[in-house]
Amino acid sequence: MRRLHLNAVIYGLGSHEAAWRLPESDPRAITTLAYWADIARTAEAGGFDALFLGDVLALQEGAARHLSDAMDPFIILSALAAVTSRIGLIGTASTSFDHPFHLARRFASLDHISNGRAGWNIVTSSNALEAHNFGLDDMPEHTERYARADDVVEAVKKLWDSWDADARIADQASGHYLDPAKVRAIDHVGPYVRSKGPLNVPRPPQGRPILAQAGSSAAGRDFAARHADIVFTVQSSIDEAKAFYAEMKTRAVSAGRPPDSLQIMPGIIPVVGETRGAAERRLADMNSFAVPEHLLAKMSSFLGVDLSGADLDSPLPEDFARADANQSSQSRVTVLVSIAKRDGLTLRQLLLRLASGRGHLLAVGTGGDIADVVQEWFQAGAADGFNVMCSVMPGDLQAFNDMVMPDLVKRQLRQADLSSDTLRQRYRLTGI
Ligand SMILES: Cc1cc2nc3c(=O)[nH]c(=O)nc-3n(C[C@H](O)[C@H](O)[C@H](O)COP(=O)(O)O)c2cc1C
């Protein structure tokens, strides 16, 4: 039977732009281990397959009015490996700024200390502020970033494969530590990176940690079809999601892979309440804490258009934004523009959609309502699972556990408990 996969995606104090301002939040908690351990234990207790940490390598524009500081995901996930035992630990790392040797070594290490629970969310990075932090004037253009990502991921895979699983003999009696025939140099010489290898970490328990990918432009889809196990995608309508799903499965097959080896997981933002009215009030309450100046700056940056003088309450003009001209994040632009057109939004309304939903599927209602949406998308061939992006941590994660998870189990879409398999086995991605 097909099993619905669910990851708990954590950005800062929650996916809502104003999460840090809610009275229930402690904005300073983000730099404490207690905060992260609490989330990880809550997600594990709820039965989430994996914790998924996003990351950006810069303090972002508008940081004065918005929480955008972020600690290193490797450090957080390493600590969380010690306080959890079954949940997957997926962390974001950039192919533009990290060397493949570092990437291969860190994820292999995380995989060992977590007994096969590590995953890498591969990003190319898209923000010029990140480029500035690494000595560049701007990000390389989109096509080049993906070409480099391809090269880096090839090298990382080779480094993981540079050890056979049984290379470590560790025979104390004879004094043979490893079998030299089973540990090889990789001699990777690519257009962007080189690495001789072998890796100095034995083959990870999963063979290769899970690979997730989140860009949905043409280059991003092509990349995902070749390398990813999980695609994290922004979809806000079931028809578009079905088309994306079908296209990605076809691309996987063209790349010589079975369709199930590529799991499509759109983001979903659940706003759950005991009643629909309670859920709607919760959303309105969260939105009332959003800072409009910050949202306008963020939208300007997503769209690559200066919106500072724009009228917030007029309908958006026809040529509001052209995704193909955007170098930063084509998929996000496409989704935001299509939501605005579909729902006839003003700029102010679009800003609130950005604050609460970031362009993802926003599901507001009772546990049963949200389980209905999840089930419909799963069974209609629009998703293999969801990246669940709760609004304010840890309260909304606990609410999802309490109100949505039991419904999903009752409908036999998932089991109540996590198996103790590796993350790759739980995802039934056993082709390595
Ligand atoms: C759902 C989603 C989540 C993302 N999360 C991150 C992230 O945490 N860090 C990051 O640097 N980029 C993130 N990205 C950006 C992508 O990795 C990619 O660099 C960007 O979307 C440009 O690629 P595209 O034009 O193919 O979409 C995310 C993108 C999407 C669609």
Side-chain angles (χ1 to χ4, degrees):
M1 200 185 74
R2 240 173 115 223
R3 178 179 177 280
L4 173 83
H5 297 295
L6 294 176
N7 297 326
V9 176
I10 320 291
Y11 286 102
L13 288 172
S15 68
H16 198 287
E17 289 286 337
W20 70 276
R21 293 191 68 205
L22 271 280
E24 71 202 65
S25 290
D26 171 4
R28 295 171 198 276
I30 188 145
T31 44
T32 67
L33 178 56
Y35 167 75
W36 292 101
D38 183 28
I39 289 177
R41 290 195 188 104
T42 304
E44 186 168 76
F48 280 93
D49 292 293
L51 202 64
F52 188 123
L53 301 195
D55 192 40
V56 174
L57 293 165
L59 194 63
Q60 295 185 27
E61 277 157 7
R65 308 292 311 271
H66 172 65
L67 184 157
S68 77
D69 41 308
M71 298 197 298
D72 189 320
F74 282 105
I75 307 289
I76 299 172
L77 292 176
S78 304
L80 298 184
V83 299
T84 55
S85 60
R86 287 161 300 147
I87 194 164
L89 302 166
I90 302 177
T92 297
S94 171
T95 51
S96 295
F97 301 118
D98 268 318
H99 192 276
F101 195 87
H102 270 144
L103 291 164
R105 186 176 188 222
R106 288 177 184 147
F107 281 108
S109 305
L110 182 62
D111 206 45
H112 277 291
I113 64 164
S114 65
N115 291 321
R117 295 188 280 142
W120 173 19
N121 177 37
I122 306 168
V123 298
T124 61
S125 304
S126 50
N127 187 327
L129 295 174
E130 300 177 274
H132 301 167
N133 288 342
F134 291 87
L136 302 179
D137 293 332
D138 207 345
M139 286 303 300
E141 59 96 25
H142 196 260
T143 320
E144 190 180 335
R145 292 204 309 266
Y146 273 109
R148 183 187 170 93
D150 205 64
D151 192 16
V152 169
V153 172
E154 285 296 343
V156 168
K157 287 180 177 173
K158 287 184 200 168
L159 285 164
W160 286 333
D161 293 346
S162 65
W163 285 62
D164 288 352
D166 58 352
R168 191 164 38 164
I169 312 163
D171 185 350
Q172 293 174 307
S174 70
H176 288 100
Y177 181 70
L178 53 79
D179 180 347
K182 294 184 173 176
V183 180
R184 295 161 293 272
I186 64 163
D187 293 318
H188 178 84
V189 181
Y192 298 90
V193 290
R194 296 179 181 195
S195 184
K196 182 160 178 14
L199 195 61
N200 59 347
V201 179
R203 187 169 179 81
Q206 294 183 93
R208 294 176 186 167
I210 287 241
L211 298 180
Q213 195 274 343
S216 297
S217 61
R221 292 175 201 208
D222 197 43
F223 177 85
R226 269 177 289 123
H227 297 294
D229 300 304
I230 296 174
V231 178
F232 181 6
T233 172
V234 190
Q235 302 291 336
S236 67
S237 96
I238 190 167
D239 290 335
E240 284 165 22
K242 276 163 73 175
F244 178 80
Y245 184 99
E247 188 204 321
M248 290 310 297
K249 298 285 177 174
T250 307
R251 278 184 188 256
V253 172
S254 310
R257 305 173 53 189
D260 289 351
S261 67
L262 187 64
Q263 303 268 317
I264 311 301
M265 301 188 63
I268 184 170
I269 308 221
V271 181
V272 61
E274 293 292 349
T275 61
R276 280 181 199 168
E280 274 155 20
R281 282 193 297 281
R282 166 91 180 140
L283 180 61
D285 187 39
M286 292 188 295
N287 284 348
S288 73
F289 286 94
V291 178
E293 296 87 338
H294 164 67
L295 293 174
L296 206 54
K298 182 152 188 158
M299 184 68 84
S300 299
S301 129
F302 268 148
L303 300 183
V305 181
D306 180 10
L307 296 170
S308 47
D311 177 2
L312 292 187
D313 295 306
S314 304
L316 296 171
E318 268 302 299
D319 62 343
F320 182 58
R322 287 185 45 240
D324 55 3
N326 182 287
Q327 283 293 323
S328 149
S329 180
Q330 295 182 4
S331 39
R332 184 80 57 166
V333 173
T334 310
V335 170
L336 286 169
V337 171
S338 100
I339 290 176
K341 284 188 184 150
R342 185 189 67 202
D343 299 349
L345 301 183
T346 62
L347 184 52
R348 188 185 300 280
Q349 290 166 325
L350 185 60
L351 291 180
L352 287 177
R353 287 297 291 271
L354 175 67
S356 56
R358 299 171 174 235
H360 288 278
L361 172 64
L362 184 62
V364 186
T366 62
D369 291 335
I370 290 165
D372 283 347
V373 174
V374 167
Q375 182 169 12
E376 187 190 4
W377 282 49
F378 180 60
Q379 291 176 343
D384 292 311
F386 284 91
N387 283 308
V388 180
M389 306 169 67
C390 293
S391 302
V392 184
M393 292 290 162
D396 287 314
L397 186 61
Q398 188 63 54
F400 191 90
N401 283 359
D402 295 341
M403 292 192 251
V404 186
M405 280 293 195
D407 237 292
L408 298 175
V409 173
K410 210 181 320 159
R411 298 173 193 211
Q412 298 190 327
L413 298 172
R414 342 179 6 94
Q415 296 82 6
D417 288 317
L418 281 177
S419 63
S420 52
D421 298 338
T422 65
L423 184 59
R424 187 169 282 285
Q425 286 164 338
R426 198 177 311 131
Y427 267 94
R428 300 195 179 150
L429 297 164
T430 48
I432 306 268

